[in-house]
Amino acid sequence: MLTASNIQFRIRNRTILDTTSLELAAGQIIAILGPNGAGKSSLFNLLSGESSCTCGEVSYNGRSIAKYKARDLAELRAVMPQHSSVNFPFTVREVVELGLISIQPKSPEKTVDEVMALAQIKHLQGQEYYQLSGGEKQRVQLARVLAQVWERKPYPRYVLLDEPTSSLDIAQQHAVLEILLQLKSRNIGVLIILHDLNLAAQYADEIILLKSGKISYCGPMKEGMDGCLLEKVFDHPIRIMNCPVTNQLIVHSTNKPKMYSSSRAMQ
Ligand SMILES: Nc1ncnc2c1ncn2[C@@H]1O[C@H](COP(=O)(O)OP(=O)(O)OP(=O)(O)O)[C@@H](O)[C@H]1O
């Protein structure tokens, strides 16, 4: 289990993230949703160990993150930040191989081949990374993260992704979420920051709604996908419908009418 217990994050007396607790189990997908500046990436950085909490504790499989050596933590969790820069003229394959640096896979070649095939980037493997399009780079970064966790292990592991679909076309967005579904059956928990509420409605088991550094909702996706609740969080008109063909939830938003105000959303 990845656990955050009463964590808080403050910078220069400003509370960026108020007291927050959550649990991510292996085999589960949790999506973090919320408006710009809500604190999603700040929470993500605390969970990944990139930043340290002002109060509270993050733990992986019952042990505080502070007690792990970097190499041991790399065996347990892989992280795809919002922006990743590669400062050397690496090829695509070399960037994917970076995912293996802190672990010792039994079959590194096979692992890299498999994750590149999954991310649909095998045809790009000899190309220089910096020449790729934004969406191609994002798929390479996903493959790097997958390489880190792809070999099966007998203990629970976690993958954390901050907006991994932001540069992808609609087909690639679904392809990425389908890959994350596969991780569930490998005893891996997935935590993902998304701006697309429909993707969250289709793929997440649970959602966390963040607003102004506070959790407005944390629980099963179906209960959280509530029009009134989402309107309050995003301060924007949102309706939830059932698709008559697939029976899946559809999140519908329109432009904000002139008379609309946050007080309406609060009703
Ligand atoms: N290192 C920092 N120093 C000062 N302020 C910070 C720092 N990191 C984050 N913040 C502030 O904390 C707030 C939350 O930022 P964060 O990046 O976590 O939001 P977010 O929900 O991920 O936003 P977005 O959807 O735009 O990516 C913002 O107002 C941001 O300016």
Side-chain angles (χ1 to χ4, degrees), residues 68-82:
Y68 281 100
K69 289 185 185 141
R71 188 170 282 268
D72 295 336
L73 199 54
E75 295 274 358
L76 278 190
R77 65 101 182 84
V79 182
M80 179 171 169
Q82 203 169 1

Side-chain angles (χ1 to χ4, degrees), residues 3 24 33 42 57-58 62 88 91 93 103 132 139 145 154 169 175 181 186 200:
T3 312
L24 170 68
L33 311 167
S42 303
E57 186 179 68
V58 172
F88 296 96
T91 63
R93 191 174 181 98
I103 58 168
L132 302 182
R139 273 152 50 209
V145 166
D169 66 53
L181 283 182
R186 289 179 170 247

Side-chain angles (χ1 to χ4, degrees), residues 209-229:
L209 296 173
L210 258 191
K211 181 172 188 168
S212 307
K214 289 193 171 82
I215 289 192
S216 299
Y217 175 84
C218 177
M221 181 279 296
K222 279 209 168 122
E223 282 97 275
M225 284 291 170
D226 172 84
C228 290
L229 179 57

Side-chain angles (χ1 to χ4, degrees), residues 50-65:
E50 178 69 27
S51 320
S52 301
C53 312
T54 313
C55 307
E57 186 179 68
V58 172
S59 62
Y60 282 84
N61 295 347
R63 188 175 179 212
S64 168
I65 192 170

Side-chain angles (χ1 to χ4, degrees), residues 21 26 63 84 86 91 117 136 143 170-171 186 209 238-239:
S21 298
R63 188 175 179 212
S84 309
V86 175
T91 63
E136 287 168 343
I170 194 160
R186 289 179 170 247
L209 296 173
I238 292 174
R239 285 196 181 84

Side-chain angles (χ1 to χ4, degrees), residues 34-255:
N36 291 134
K40 301 181 296 298
S41 294
S42 303
L43 170 57
F44 183 93
N45 290 338
L46 297 176
L47 295 174
S48 69
E50 178 69 27
S51 320
S52 301
C53 312
T54 313
C55 307
E57 186 179 68
V58 172
S59 62
Y60 282 84
N61 295 347
R63 188 175 179 212
S64 168
I65 192 170
K67 293 192 175 148
Y68 281 100
K69 289 185 185 141
R71 188 170 282 268
D72 295 336
L73 199 54
E75 295 274 358
L76 278 190
R77 65 101 182 84
V79 182
M80 179 171 169
Q82 203 169 1
H83 305 289
S84 309
S85 55
V86 175
N87 297 323
F88 296 96
F90 285 146
T91 63
V92 164
R93 191 174 181 98
E94 285 167 339
V95 173
V96 177
E97 285 168 349
L98 292 176
L100 306 178
I101 275 185
S102 305
I103 58 168
Q104 274 102 40
K106 288 188 192 108
S107 344
E109 296 289 310
K110 183 168 169 273
T111 298
V112 171
D113 284 337
E114 284 182 11
V115 298
M116 283 204 303
L118 266 177
Q120 301 177 39
I121 54 165
K122 223 164 176 186
H123 61 292
L124 300 171
Q125 63 176 318
Q127 272 198 38
E128 298 226 11
Y129 177 80
Y130 77 90
Q131 292 174 337
L132 302 182
S133 74
E136 287 168 343
K137 281 182 181 160
Q138 210 162 27
R139 273 152 50 209
V140 174
Q141 290 300 335
L142 175 74
R144 176 186 60 74
V145 166
L146 291 174
Q148 199 177 325
V149 295
W150 195 242
E151 274 196 1
R152 291 181 189 273
K153 298 281 168 161
Y155 46 84
R157 290 174 300 162
Y158 310 89
V159 166
L160 315 181
L161 311 109
D162 191 346
E163 296 186 43
T165 56
S166 59
S167 300
L168 302 183
D169 66 53
I170 194 160
Q172 289 296 338
Q173 289 176 19
H174 285 279
V176 166
L177 270 298
E178 291 290 339
I179 294 170
L180 300 184
L181 283 182
Q182 288 192 43
L183 296 183
K184 290 173 68 167
S185 60
R186 289 179 170 247
N187 202 22
I188 292 172
V190 177
L191 183 124
I192 181 170
I193 296 181
L194 285 172
H195 276 295
D196 187 325
L197 302 180
N198 278 300
L199 282 182
Q202 276 187 51
Y203 294 97
D205 300 301
E206 296 201 354
I207 59 170
I208 292 172
L209 296 173
L210 258 191
K211 181 172 188 168
S212 307
K214 289 193 171 82
I215 289 192
S216 299
Y217 175 84
C218 177
M221 181 279 296
K222 279 209 168 122
E223 282 97 275
M225 284 291 170
D226 172 84
C228 290
L229 179 57
L230 292 170
E231 282 204 10
K232 280 184 206 170
V233 169
F234 288 93
D235 191 19
H236 195 88
I238 292 174
R239 285 196 181 84
I240 305 292
M241 291 173 278
N242 254 314
C243 173
V245 180
T246 62
N247 206 28
Q248 283 170 332
L249 297 180
I250 301 174
V251 184
H252 176 70
S253 59
T254 59
N255 62 324

